[in-house]
Amino acid sequence: MAGPSQLTGADDPAPAGSSAAGRRRATILDVAAAAGVSRQTVTRAMNDMSGISAETKRRVMEAARELSYRPSRFGRGLVTGGARQLGLVVNDLRNPYSPELAAAVVRLAADEGWNVMLVDIGLASDADRLLASLREQADVVVGYLGEWSTGWGSGLATTPLIQLDAGETTEHAGVRLDPVAAIGDLVAHLVAVGVRRPVVLDASAPREPSARGAAMAAAFREHGVEAEVVHAASSSAEHASAVTAQVVRRAAPPDALLAFNDLMALGALSACRHAGLDVPRDIRVAGVDGLTIGTLVAPTLTTLAVDFDEVARHTLELAVALRDGDADVDRFRVVPHRLVLRESA
């Protein structure tokens, strides 16, 4: 099998249908000329190999960034078989959200002729190694990288990154999931049916509400209702159940509970059932994500659903554009949530 130096030894042709000189993809020879080094030195620098100085590597990487150089698809094809490779990063496959998202991405990627390589960094003790390996093999990486997105381009700075649920200030391409309008719809419904003592069960540190939790509280304030924000350090169903059990034992328990996500809402439903509360007569419960499991519990779960197929569509559109070096593509997409009213609220 070819070693790292061979995997970056050849370069892709210009994108199909592109005849303008300005659209020609930079080659390893272009990088070598710009940095004033040999082709072999570029290969060593891009693969973080020994035998060159730190200053030479810096010069090569700077030239590669300026030229938007991308490693050889031919070389990668020695390992991958030539198909386009999409790296998908999730942060916990035990959470039903991750496999539902992955299923949508894999399904659409297959239709578009991409292979998908999946990495779960949530519980991995060697996440750095997993991500380094992924970006060496993938044409584009997409997913929930959190702190790992910072400095993504400082090493092998040639694998585009698409962040999911990205903030507006991300330096990378991104698909942001926006629940604000759907939160407003849910809160308007709850206030209309008489909710006056709502609790927001947030997944955040004390006194540091998440953006989602803050939006929920703000929506209630717009209707003249003050929501209490209860902070749960973990977004697991078990932790949410334990926190909810304490909240509903109060002398004046809440009449509605909005959870950070569906998994926490399911934990809250369990706690309410064990406390002998009727949902939705005694307390109304809602979550966020629109997971399929919410339709399989009793009562069925009211949720703010995200369209995973739409997320996947935007992701693949961005992946193709980034792979082809399309500088004109809108690199930031927004997918809104929608209110799905079911029995629990």
Side-chain angles (χ1 to χ4, degrees), residues 86-325:
L86 182 68
L88 176 60
V89 180
V90 299
N91 54 24
D92 191 351
L93 279 170
R94 299 173 305 173
N95 184 334
Y97 180 92
S98 293
E100 289 204 28
L101 169 67
V105 172
V106 169
R107 183 171 58 250
L108 184 57
D111 291 342
E112 298 295 328
W114 289 67
N115 290 339
V116 177
M117 297 174 286
L118 179 66
V119 167
D120 183 353
I121 60 173
L123 300 177
S125 59
D126 56 351
D128 290 333
R129 179 190 64 79
L130 292 174
L131 289 173
S133 176
L134 183 66
R135 68 180 185 177
E136 286 175 2
Q137 301 177 64
D139 293 293
V140 180
V141 172
V142 59
Y144 292 86
L145 276 79
E147 62 186 20
W148 281 279
S149 65
T150 304
W152 176 262
S154 61
L156 182 59
T158 54
T159 306
L161 173 64
I162 303 170
Q163 287 189 268
L164 293 183
D165 215 0
E168 295 181 1
T169 59
T170 178
E171 61 184 294
H172 307 286
V175 179
R176 182 166 64 91
L177 311 182
D178 186 2
V180 173
I183 288 173
D185 293 339
L186 172 60
V187 168
H189 163 74
L190 293 175
V191 172
V193 296
V195 167
R196 294 297 179 268
R197 301 185 310 280
V199 162
V200 172
L201 182 55
D202 200 8
S204 64
R207 296 179 296 280
E208 295 181 11
S210 68
R212 186 178 297 177
M216 290 175 176
F220 275 110
R221 281 195 296 272
E222 291 179 1
H223 289 272
V225 176
E226 194 64 30
E228 178 187 1
V229 180
V230 176
H231 302 276
S234 167
S235 61
S236 70
E238 294 80 7
H239 195 76
S241 180
V243 173
T244 302
Q246 297 176 2
V247 171
V248 298
R249 284 200 299 264
R250 297 172 178 173
D255 54 4
L257 191 149
L258 278 64
F260 177 85
N261 61 20
D262 281 355
L263 205 58
M264 296 180 74
L266 293 173
L269 282 177
S270 175
C272 290
R273 182 171 61 252
H274 284 94
L277 298 175
D278 181 277
V279 179
R281 186 185 63 195
D282 300 325
I283 184 172
R284 298 172 188 266
V285 177
V288 179
D289 285 335
L291 300 182
T292 302
I293 194 173
T295 66
L296 305 177
V297 296
T300 53
L301 181 64
T302 289
T303 185
L304 308 183
V306 63
D307 187 335
F308 289 113
D309 287 339
E310 186 176 359
V311 173
R313 179 178 62 80
H314 282 299
T315 296
L316 266 294
E317 287 179 0
L318 283 171
V320 170
L322 295 175
R323 173 65 186 86
D324 293 343

